[in-house]
Amino acid sequence: QVQLVESGGGLVQAGGSLRLSCAASERTFSNYPVGWFRQAPGKEREFVAAITWSGGSTYYADSVKGRFTISRDNAKNTVYLQMNILKPEDTAVYYCARRGLVGPYSDYREYDYWGQGTQVTVSS
């Protein structure tokens, strides 16, 4: 059973930055694409970004493109989400997930293991 643990969330002012980390318990994590999703209160889970197993390709939601950067260090079994120029509308619980299936990167149903989430709050 793969365990994913997110960290790095917190409270930040608008315009600030945070770096989220997603650490996996197994080395096989490096063989899979990984995605970040977020969910705000009263809203549906939303795709944020994804990265292929090698890190050679990345995908972003339009709402974060140019502000967020996803990366990974397979030697450390860790995926990162660098978030810059944060906005109040970025406030949500952020989850990382392993993409175990082969559908669209933006579809949460293609991901089979999820972390517990980390809260990001952006104040105006």
Side-chain angles (χ1 to χ4, degrees):
Q1 180 103 7
V2 177
Q3 292 186 331
L4 306 181
V5 178
E6 301 98 335
S7 61
L11 174 64
V12 64
Q13 288 188 331
S17 298
L18 284 174
R19 187 197 197 200
L20 305 184
S21 298
C22 172
S25 60
E26 295 189 7
R27 292 191 62 81
T28 56
F29 182 69
S30 63
N31 297 334
Y32 292 85
V34 173
W36 284 95
F37 290 77
R38 65 188 182 187
Q39 188 164 20
K43 295 189 176 181
E44 294 187 353
R45 190 168 4 187
E46 174 187 25
F47 170 75
V48 175
I51 188 167
T52 55
W53 72 270
S54 67
S57 294
T58 56
Y59 308 87
Y60 297 94
D62 288 343
S63 59
V64 306
K65 203 170 292 183
R67 299 188 298 122
F68 290 12
T69 303
I70 188 171
S71 62
R72 68 190 302 163
D73 184 341
N74 284 340
K76 297 182 178 179
N77 283 349
T78 302
V79 173
Y80 305 97
L81 184 68
Q82 178 67 43
M83 306 187 296
N84 298 329
I85 317 175
L86 282 161
K87 304 176 181 180
E89 51 264 43
D90 294 319
T91 295
V93 177
Y94 283 70
Y95 300 90
C96 68
R98 189 189 82 166
R99 181 172 173 268
L101 302 177
V102 295
Y105 282 92
S106 60
D107 189 341
Y108 73 90
R109 295 169 295 182
E110 304 303 322
Y111 294 77
D112 53 2
Y113 288 98
W114 293 78
Q116 82 290 347
T118 186
Q119 176 71 47
V120 171
T121 303
V122 184
S123 63
S124 57

